Structures are given as structure tokens and as C-alpha cells.
Amino acid sequence: MTRCGTVVLAGRPNVGKSTLLNALLGQHLAIVSPKPQSTRLPVVGLLTRGDTQFIFTDSPGLLEPEYRLHEAMRAAALRAIADAEVIAYLHPLAEFPAPPLAQVGKLDRPPSAPIVIVYTKADLVPASTNLPQPPPSSTAVVSALTGAGLDALLDALRAHVPAGPFHYDPDEMATQPMRFFAAEFVREAAFELLHEELPYAVAVEIDEFREGASPVYIRAVVYVERDSQKGIVIGEAGRTIKALGQAARAKIEALLGGSVYLELHAKVLPKWRRHEPSLKRLGYAR
Ligand code: GDP
Ligand code: MG
């Protein structure tokens, strides 16, 4: 009998949820940044190992909303937690022990799905300060950086995944369309190349995605909130937006497995993070 189920990766911002998803899949699917709150929408990653199909959902970090976009991010995270059959609750090992998820996430009530506590970034902690031995069941210690503990984590999760047929072809890894990842990778490049708060003002919309073409032709708009930000995104003689395009193109090509022509345009969408219709149009709010 096979097993198949949804597993949400949940926790505070910056605890390593997206990095762990990528490490489990062996593919860069979810965007990662040293800056918190880079994940705005859930990213689904499929992993079929032996008799078990894991439907992972990387969720936005549980945070205190400061503006409308944050509220939408928190709502998406809460939905992903409520919908999951298993909850992987991530917390940095350096901050052992993890407080209850319901407390960290200010949840109305404890979630009903079983919780596996996943202590992350174990490589940052000297081995001698590890967990009490033996560690409590439903606890895993991992480093997405070194790969340590990933197999044991899958074993711990598998025990909670319900019996049932696979929902997806075992070779599949993503469920979201390539244009979603294209927009995400432009955003990831923005987190890498733009400074301070500017990446948070960036949203990306794919205008055109011609998959039949060779190279694949993608035209994307990089939205910011103000004219001054647009100037910075474009940069002197267009240098910054060109660098953004080059970085994003390499990421898209790695996932697509083929060459891509990426055209970026910067535009202003005033105060989009606080503007409900803009959030809906960008796919962030329902
Ligand atoms: P998220 O906000 O929870 O999705 O966190 P990210 O996956 O974006 O990671 C936040 C930061 O922690 C990034 O700078 C990652 O490179 C770093 N990070 C994630 N996992 C590990 C790990 O296992 N070891 C170390 N040293 N850093 C990690
Ligand atoms: Mg993330």
C-alpha cells in the first residue's frame, strides 16, 4: 500500500523553510534570501520516495502583519497549515527548545494535523549542544546546507502520511506553472541585487511567456511603488535591470532546462502592498 499526503513547512520567517524544501527536492524551486519574508505565496514541491509521495508546501513565515500584503501572506500560511495532513514546524536548533506552534503563529487553536518539530540550521550549532538524548519522537534535526538529517526527517514525516494512492506522477516535482517560477526568480534576483527595503517593494508580473519559441521568450514587468524606486531598479544606463535580468534568466534556465530570452520592464504600481485590487491582480490576495 502506498502513502500520499500534504506536508506543510511552517514556522517563523527566516527559519529555513524554503531552503529545506529545495534540499529535500534537490532542486532550486522556492526562492531563498537572508532577508526575512521573501516567500509570499505557498510553493508546492513533490517528492516521491519508495512507497510514499510527499506533497510539500513551503509557506510564508508566520509574522505580525504590518500592511495588507503581510495580511495576505499570513492568511496563505494559515490556510496551508489548516489544509495540511502533516505539519513540519521549523525552528532553528540554536534557539532550542521551540515554543508551541500555536503560540509562535498566534493561532486561534492548535492545529489538528500531527506536528513534527524540525530543528533547522544544525550546522550552525556545535554538535555537543544538540538535543537531549534520546530526542523526543516527532522531532528531527536537519541542516539543509549539509544535508544532514534529511533522510531521518523523511522517515519521521512518512509515519504520519496517510495511506492512499499517489496523486501525481512520481517524476513530477512542481505543480505550479513555469511562469509562476519565472516571476519568483526575478523576485529572488531582486532580493540579491537590490538593497535594504527595496526588494520588499518589488512585485513581478509575467506579461508574455512563449514556451514554443526557442529560446523561450519571457517578458516580465518589475513593479515598484514609487518613481524613485523605479530609477534605482533601472540603474545608471540600465545596468541594474540588466543585471537583474541576467541573474533571473540563469535561475529560470536551470529549472526549465533550456535557454530563455528574458525581457524586463520597470513600472510603478503606486502603494501596491496596501492596495487590495493590486494584490489580487498580482495573485497575492484572494
Ligand atoms: P524561510 O524564510 O524560512 O523560507 O528561510 P530561507 O529558506 O529563505 O532561509 C533564510 C536564511 O537562512 C537564508 O540565508 C538561508 O541560506 C539560511 N539557511 C537556511 N537553511 C540553512 C541551514 O541549514 N544552514 C545554514 N547555515 N543556513 C541556512
Ligand atoms: Mg521562505
Side-chain angles (χ1 to χ4, degrees):
M1 187 59 177
T2 55
R3 295 169 184 245
C4 178
T6 50
V7 181
V8 67
L9 306 179
R12 280 178 355 217
N14 227 29
V15 295
K17 300 177 292 298
S18 302
T19 309
L20 180 60
L21 179 78
N22 294 342
L24 288 167
L25 300 183
Q27 175 76 251
H28 191 81
L29 201 62
I31 75 167
V32 167
S33 172
K35 291 177 185 267
Q37 297 158 31
S38 50
T39 305
R40 291 181 184 155
L41 286 169
V43 176
V44 177
L46 309 173
L47 178 68
T48 307
R49 267 285 182 94
D51 68 351
T52 306
Q53 185 161 75
F54 301 91
I55 304 170
F56 286 109
T57 303
D58 174 28
S59 64
L62 292 163
L63 75 165
E64 205 57 62
E66 285 167 34
Y67 41 82
R68 182 63 192 102
L69 170 64
H70 282 166
E71 287 169 22
M73 287 160 61
R74 179 173 161 82
L78 294 181
R79 268 198 306 275
I81 291 170
D83 291 348
E85 286 163 303
V86 186
I87 298 168
Y89 164 36
L90 277 62
H91 186 83
L93 182 60
E95 295 166 41
F96 178 89
L101 174 61
Q103 180 188 322
V104 160
K106 296 200 167 64
L107 309 181
D108 295 336
R109 65 186 91 85
S112 47
I115 297 176
V116 174
I117 300 182
V118 184
Y119 286 103
T120 58
K121 310 190 188 184
D123 56 282
L124 296 179
V125 176
S128 55
T129 55
N130 263 355
L131 288 173
Q133 294 295 332
S137 63
S138 280
T139 298
V141 180
V142 301
S143 165
L145 206 69
T146 66
L150 297 185
D151 286 331
L153 168 62
L154 288 175
D155 288 342
L157 295 172
R158 181 185 173 279
H160 300 284
V161 172
F166 291 170
H167 292 182
Y168 297 93
D169 185 317
D171 292 333
E172 278 179 60
M173 191 175 46
T175 64
Q176 287 147 305
M178 200 53 215
R179 55 192 297 153
F180 170 78
F181 294 106
E184 286 289 274
F185 292 163
V186 176
R187 242 168 31 77
E188 187 176 53
F191 268 93
E192 289 164 358
L193 297 175
L194 305 176
H195 300 291
E196 290 160 32
E197 298 299 302
L198 190 49
Y200 297 107
V202 167
V204 177
E205 193 172 54
I206 305 296
D207 255 2
E208 196 173 336
F209 193 111
R210 253 187 276 146
E211 205 142 6
S214 182
V216 171
Y217 175 80
I218 305 172
R219 196 176 63 229
V221 181
V222 179
Y223 287 112
V224 286
E225 295 192 309
R226 296 194 302 268
D227 262 325
S228 58
Q229 294 170 333
K230 181 177 155 184
I232 299 170
V233 165
I234 293 171
E236 214 183 306
R239 268 188 224 121
T240 306
I241 198 162
K242 187 171 173 208
L244 273 175
Q246 281 169 345
R249 178 169 54 90
K251 296 168 190 288
I252 300 167
E253 286 180 338
L255 186 62
L256 198 69
S259 59
V260 164
Y261 184 88
L262 176 65
E263 200 178 308
L264 295 183
H265 298 275
K267 287 188 187 171
V268 176
L269 192 58
K271 296 191 179 151
W272 66 262
R273 280 180 287 178
R274 298 167 193 273
H275 186 235
E276 189 72 19
S278 298
L279 291 171
K280 285 196 170 133
R281 165 179 161 185
L282 292 164
Y284 292 133
R286 294 193 157 185

